[in-house]
Amino acid sequence: MVRQSLQDKKSVYGAAPVQDPVSSHTLAMIVDNEPGVLARVIGLFSGRGYNIESLTVAETDHTSRQSRITLVCSGTVHVIEQIHHQLGRLVPVHKVSNLTLEGTHIERELALLKVVGKKDKRIEALRVADIFRARVVDSTLESFVFEITGTTEKVDAFVALMRPLGLIEISRTGVAAMSRGKEGVHNGE
Amino acid sequence: MATKNTSTKAQPKMQLVKTTPQVKAKTAKSKPVMVFDKKTLTGAEIVIQALVDNGVDTIFGYPGGAVLPIYDAIFQQKKVRHVLVRHEQAALHAAEGYARSTGKVGCALVTSGPGATNAVTGLTDALLDSIPVVCFSGQVPTFLIGTDAFQEADTTGITRQCTKQNYLVKDVKDLAKTVHEAFHVAKSGRPGPVVIDLPKDVQFAPGPYQSPEETDISRYQPRTMPDLSKIEAAVELIAGAKKPIFYTGGGVINAGPEAAKLLAEFVQMTGYPLTSTLMGLGAYPMSDTQHLGMLGMHGTFEANWAMHDCDVMINIGARFDDRVTGRLDAFSPHSTKIHIDIDPSSINKNVRVDLGIVADSAEALRAMIAVWKKRKYKANAPALKQWWAQIEKWRSVKCLSYKNSQTIIKPQYALERLQSALSKDKREVFISTEVGQHQMWAAQFLKFDQPNHWMTSGGLGTMGYGLPAAIGAQVAHPDALVVDVAGDASILMNIQELSTAVQHRLPVKVFILNNQWMGMVKQWQELLHGERYSNSYTESLPDFVKLAEAYGGVGLRAQTPDDLDRVIKEMMKTDRVTLVDICVDQKENCFPMIPSGKAHNEMILSPHAEKFDKTLV
């Protein structure tokens, strides 16, 4: 600590602040689907040193050419609030909602898993998939491709179980999320 | 390549179009003026038409292959004046100087590749200081984008993080509305720079034109009106304060002259003290006793102590920059903080505040004045009297005092003499600066009583800003006296712009406080790095007098205090570009000073500087 303070005296800048606890938040935003909008969002994170855990983007309104970005990020409460405001001031961003703070919400992720194996492992993989309500979407005599939908935790658990059973490839969509109840992201301010 | 003037001695021709732009924040809604007498415009002509429709009369730029169609269009009209700079960075700074001295949007035009990359520093400067600028850059034709073509750079990619918004226009159909939106974005909300990248084939292509009125700009409508319940809560806090202080910044300047008027009204109504950031100087008259001077790292003793000891802080349009706050955990520890800012992301960014209000500062001030009057609030007179008594005690320290000399020019003395001469001059005075010790001294010793008359690179701290910014201000105010207070190191960063000033007959005055050092770097090395002066001494400075003459300007030099007044007088008298070399004390440092990692009440003053513990390093 003493060493640290001596270091700081040599700098043109002040001391680094003490860190508050970090938590994950899910943000949903409506943006204009125009070139560079994703780069602006991502650039904001890299430029200001924020963390992205998951990001999904797709056009949700083809007539008005608007996309929804669902973004899971981690940081202190202070940082998350900054992220929210920084995203909000980008010109192509119309609305930002912090779903984690604004009441309860649903999160879903879809994953495709390719599992290669024979005999017992193959049968076990099918059994586990059944328990998780994963669907078989492709099959050969030696492999399955499973499709699973659920929360990130559920997908993680399924992936963990499939590893010893011959999992060779995973493709995950990242989180899509929506608040519960009748309020939409479009409503309000 | 630009054609070089064959004779350097020849007097430059006066520009054909002489413009006297109005000092007006909002774009005038005049009758449509068609710049080109034809039905279908090319992309390049659309750009010019859109500039005129957005109230632009001057553009700063430098030609090159990818913008030749626009230069051709400029050649064929007289509505927009083009000021040829000598480096694209200067085009951006000149546009900033123009914008800051007029309240309008500044405009620049650069070519692709190196033109655009040279503009990056100016764009970043405008972003950090929230200056409205629209920069057009040429781009290789759309069919060559991505092929590493000659002078190709990913301009939108490179400038994405240093602009408020940027565009690559790939279809001439989108061009007019893009330009209109760019101007709207640049000046609305928290102002900032916008880049429009224009491929050459789009500049050639014929396309439809639509006016700003026909363009939908509804997608970007930042909030300007304050939440009234929060305003009421703020005024209640303000009225109940015993040790209040106004802490105002560039947001008040950006909100227009009206905001400055309202600020003065509210500050005088309450009788409270006010301190200003570097960016906010001039929003409230510095000659008024309620102004405590600038705050922050090199701010006044009284301003910083008042910030530290206050019980209610009213921040209007300032952003708690690290140069202002000092050590964050010891920043104004006992105050209730009110923060009014047009940018929601500025509130609670560096300092947690008790009451954040998102609003344009003029609107917020108007609302606060109305509430104050309606509820018939009165300041707590006995408490305020005590507070002012305390402030006067701090003031009596006379933190800006320095030991003058009969033989060597002290930089502070040079600025005092300059201020004395400026205050007697009848002309409107605009001051710009470069970055370093001279900049801080200028902020301490020159007096700004009006907004939009002080231009300095605050956020980015760009050496080389002052001369082009002065040029921009002089273009907008041909009859004004524009002085760039400079250092010997900074001025060399954009010295080539003397050529621009001479060509366009812009009689800017460059007032160099020459100590042969990068003064601020030297100061830090002296105080914090064991007096090891690594690379901060300029071994071979040019002879500034001869340099000025070589460019076709006037060169003057003051070597002793006795020379000063004569040289300043001569500088003020001449109507030519003038470079003044003031040979100042090499040892002088800038005080008072809050060392980094220290709080506002731990300032060091000039007489105590010797005692500063250098053994730490």
Side-chain angles (χ1 to χ4, degrees):
Chain A
M1 200 58 209
V2 176
R3 210 186 150 75
Q4 178 66 38
S5 65
L6 279 183
Q7 281 284 317
D8 296 334
K9 288 206 172 80
K10 285 180 77 169
S11 169
V12 187
Y13 303 94
V18 183
Q19 279 291 321
D20 292 330
V22 168
S23 59
S24 257
H25 286 243
T26 305
L27 307 183
M29 60 191 116
I30 307 295
V31 303
D32 286 324
N33 184 13
E34 62 181 27
V37 61
L38 191 57
R40 257 188 193 272
V41 169
I42 292 170
L44 194 149
F45 277 76
S46 62
R48 292 185 185 265
Y50 306 143
N51 297 315
I52 299 184
E53 289 175 357
S54 157
L55 178 83
T56 59
V57 196
E59 191 169 87
T60 48
D61 186 338
H62 298 303
T63 45
S64 66
R65 296 203 48 104
Q66 289 194 330
S67 292
R68 182 180 177 111
I69 298 180
T70 309
L71 195 148
V72 183
C73 54
S74 62
T76 62
V77 178
H78 185 190
V79 165
I80 299 287
E81 192 187 314
Q82 262 298 300
I83 292 175
H84 191 143
H85 289 311
Q86 293 286 355
L87 288 169
R89 71 181 191 147
L90 299 179
V91 174
V93 173
H94 289 273
K95 167 85 187 167
V96 186
S97 284
N98 185 331
L99 299 176
T100 307
L101 290 184
E102 294 165 15
T104 55
H105 67 282
I106 304 146
E107 288 189 8
R108 289 292 179 271
E109 200 179 343
L110 185 144
L112 296 173
L113 290 85
K114 188 172 281 183
V115 180
V116 179
K118 286 181 181 171
K119 295 180 186 170
D120 289 357
K121 282 195 175 175
R122 195 170 154 80
I123 294 160
E124 186 61 20
L126 267 184
R127 265 169 36 89
V128 172
D130 192 41
I131 294 165
F132 277 79
R133 294 186 196 152
R135 293 199 302 142
V136 177
V137 287
D138 177 68
S139 173
T140 68
L141 291 175
E142 288 174 25
S143 70
F144 290 118
V145 173
F146 294 112
E147 175 201 304
I148 182 168
T149 312
T151 61
T152 301
E153 293 74 26
K154 179 183 168 184
V155 175
D156 284 345
F158 185 62
V159 168
L161 284 171
M162 283 296 156
R163 273 197 204 285
L165 300 176
L167 178 68
I168 62 156
E169 196 178 344
I170 315 167
S171 173
R172 293 172 75 148
T173 57
V175 172
M178 195 168 276
S179 62
R180 289 186 186 273
K182 66 183 166 74
E183 298 300 321
V185 161
H186 286 286
N187 299 345
E189 195 188 22
Chain B
M1 288 296 221
T3 329
K4 212 179 144 193
N5 199 336
T6 44
S7 161
T8 44
K9 279 181 188 165
Q11 279 295 331
K13 287 258 157 56
M14 197 67 186
Q15 284 281 305
L16 284 172
V17 193
K18 200 182 171 219
T19 46
T20 43
Q22 301 293 308
V23 187
K24 220 172 167 190
K26 304 278 186 287
T27 315
K29 270 185 190 143
S30 47
K31 282 171 218 153
V33 179
M34 296 317 286
V35 181
F36 301 96
D37 189 19
K38 52 203 248 193
K39 273 197 175 147
T40 315
L41 302 180
T42 65
E45 289 159 348
I46 288 172
V47 169
I48 305 297
Q49 181 67 51
L51 288 179
V52 171
D53 287 350
N54 283 286
V56 175
D57 48 35
T58 310
I59 187 163
F60 301 89
Y62 201 102
V67 277
L68 286 179
I70 298 179
Y71 273 87
D72 204 27
I74 286 174
F75 191 83
Q76 297 175 46
Q77 54 81 46
K78 286 178 178 177
K79 295 272 187 294
V80 180
R81 174 186 184 183
H82 179 270
V83 175
L84 175 68
V85 295
R86 300 300 183 267
H87 187 288
E88 288 87 352
Q89 182 193 347
L92 269 295
H93 292 327
E96 286 184 272
Y98 182 94
R100 288 178 72 163
S101 64
T102 60
K104 301 204 311 183
V105 179
C107 227
L109 173 60
V110 302
T111 191
S112 64
T117 55
N118 276 345
V120 166
T121 302
L123 292 167
T124 315
D125 191 272
L127 183 72
L128 276 169
D129 283 349
S130 308
I131 309 301
V133 168
V134 172
C135 174
F136 295 87
S137 58
Q139 182 55 280
V140 300
T142 48
F143 52 86
L144 281 180
I145 290 178
T147 65
D148 297 332
F150 177 64
Q151 292 196 328
E152 182 187 355
D154 175 10
T155 302
T156 45
I158 291 167
T159 60
R160 194 166 286 127
Q161 305 310 327
C162 62
T163 52
K164 186 173 172 186
Q165 171 72 338
N166 64 8
Y167 306 88
L168 170 62
V169 183
K170 283 181 162 172
D171 189 332
V172 74
K173 286 204 293 289
D174 302 326
L175 182 52
K177 61 181 178 195
T178 302
V179 178
H180 301 323
E181 187 180 272
F183 275 89
H184 168 69
V185 168
K187 69 188 175 196
S188 308
R190 181 176 180 175
V194 178
V195 163
I196 305 175
D197 201 24
L198 293 170
K200 197 171 180 180
D201 53 339
V202 174
Q203 298 171 36
F204 276 127
Y209 185 76
Q210 62 182 79
S211 69
E213 290 75 30
E214 294 166 304
T215 304
D216 177 19
I217 45 162
S218 61
R219 74 164 176 160
Y220 184 68
Q221 296 296 342
R223 176 174 194 155
T224 55
M225 296 305 286
D227 179 334
L228 271 180
S229 62
K230 285 186 174 178
I231 288 287
E232 284 170 356
V235 178
E236 195 177 335
L237 280 170
I238 294 168
K242 289 186 173 135
K243 297 190 284 180
I245 188 156
F246 284 98
Y247 151 45
T248 63
V252 181
I253 312 265
N254 275 337
E258 178 72 5
K261 263 188 222 145
L262 292 164
L263 176 68
E265 186 182 346
F266 194 44
V267 169
Q268 279 155 21
M269 198 181 264
T270 56
Y272 293 176
L274 173 144
T275 177
S276 165
T277 66
L278 181 69
M279 293 298 296
L281 295 178
Y284 187 84
M286 288 179 86
S287 46
D288 188 89
T289 49
Q290 274 172 260
H291 202 306
L292 307 188
M294 182 176 74
L295 82 165
M297 186 171 270
H298 293 288
T300 65
F301 191 74
E302 52 270 32
N304 284 333
W305 268 90
M307 285 289 280
H308 187 270
D309 280 11
C310 69
D311 69 344
V312 173
M313 180 189 294
I314 311 129
N315 173 347
I316 307 173
R319 61 185 176 91
F320 293 109
D321 176 77
D322 63 282
R323 301 293 96 165
V324 155
T325 60
R327 196 174 125 195
L328 272 179
D329 57 2
F331 173 71
S332 193
H334 312 297
S335 62
T336 304
K337 299 176 185 73
I338 301 164
H339 186 186
I340 297 163
D341 203 298
I342 200 158
D343 177 5
S345 76
S346 278
I347 294 169
N348 287 329
K349 181 174 68 180
N350 299 338
V351 169
R352 305 297 287 174
V353 296
D354 301 279
L355 182 57
I357 301 174
V358 176
D360 179 86
S361 40
E363 301 299 345
L365 280 161
R366 190 173 292 128
M368 288 197 292
I369 291 168
V371 171
W372 182 279
K373 281 182 180 164
K374 193 175 141 206
R375 297 206 181 169
K376 299 195 169 69
Y377 279 123
K378 288 221 159 54
N380 180 340
L384 195 60
K385 200 179 162 196
Q386 223 175 343
W387 180 228
W388 271 111
Q390 175 62 61
I391 289 171
E392 288 308 328
K393 261 186 217 161
W394 290 322
R395 236 180 204 162
S396 66
V397 169
K398 295 202 186 308
C399 66
L400 295 178
S401 59
Y402 59 95
K403 215 172 152 187
N404 210 350
S405 157
Q406 297 292 318
T407 48
I408 307 175
I409 303 174
K410 292 285 180 175
Q412 299 97 324
Y413 180 66
L415 286 169
E416 279 181 342
R417 296 317 303 154
L418 177 67
Q419 172 61 40
S420 158
L422 292 177
S423 56
K424 284 178 203 136
D425 201 278
K426 287 198 181 90
R427 287 169 287 183
E428 201 174 359
V429 177
F430 292 86
I431 304 285
S432 71
T433 74
E434 311 286 335
V435 168
Q437 284 182 326
H438 69 272
Q439 176 190 29
M440 293 298 109
W441 280 317
Q444 292 171 342
F445 287 89
L446 301 182
K447 296 275 171 275
F448 303 96
D449 287 347
Q450 295 173 70
N452 300 102
H453 288 68
W454 160 246
M455 292 150 287
T456 192
S457 172
L460 194 64
T462 312
M463 291 169 73
Y465 171 87
L467 176 54
I471 287 173
Q474 186 82 75
V475 168
H477 308 273
D479 301 324
L481 177 63
V482 184
V483 182
D484 169 29
V485 176
D488 51 279
S490 280
I491 191 62
L492 288 179
M493 284 221 180
N494 269 323
I495 190 74
Q496 76 286 345
E497 296 310 315
L498 281 179
S499 177
T500 305
V502 171
Q503 180 190 340
H504 297 276
R505 292 253 183 119
L506 303 166
V508 295
K509 318 293 181 208
V510 184
F511 193 78
I512 306 174
L513 298 177
N514 183 355
N515 60 4
Q516 298 191 36
W517 286 86
M518 293 163 211
M520 197 56 95
V521 172
K522 192 203 85 181
Q523 181 164 346
W524 282 95
Q525 288 172 335
E526 180 182 331
L527 296 178
L528 304 162
H529 290 270
E531 300 181 57
R532 292 181 294 279
Y533 300 118
S534 178
N535 291 281
S536 51
Y537 182 71
T538 314
E539 291 283 352
S540 54
L541 279 175
D543 178 332
F544 284 112
V545 173
K546 284 186 184 158
L547 190 65
E549 285 162 1
Y551 273 109
V554 176
L556 301 169
R557 179 171 293 130
Q559 283 173 308
T560 64
D562 296 337
D563 294 343
L564 255 180
D565 283 346
R566 178 184 54 79
V567 163
I568 290 172
K569 199 174 164 192
E570 214 167 317
M571 172 190 97
M572 310 268 285
K573 211 170 60 189
T574 165
D575 59 351
R576 292 168 66 198
V577 178
T578 310
L579 206 63
V580 188
D581 187 19
I582 310 283
C583 306
V584 298
D585 186 358
Q586 298 198 342
K587 292 203 178 71
E588 196 63 32
N589 277 335
C590 188
F591 290 106
M593 173 181 176
I594 306 176
S596 61
K598 296 280 186 181
H600 275 172
N601 58 350
E602 297 175 280
M603 296 197 86
I604 42 176
L605 297 167
S606 173
H608 310 133
E610 288 303 315
K611 286 182 237 152
F612 188 74
D613 188 1
K614 293 174 192 172
T615 56
L616 290 168
V617 290

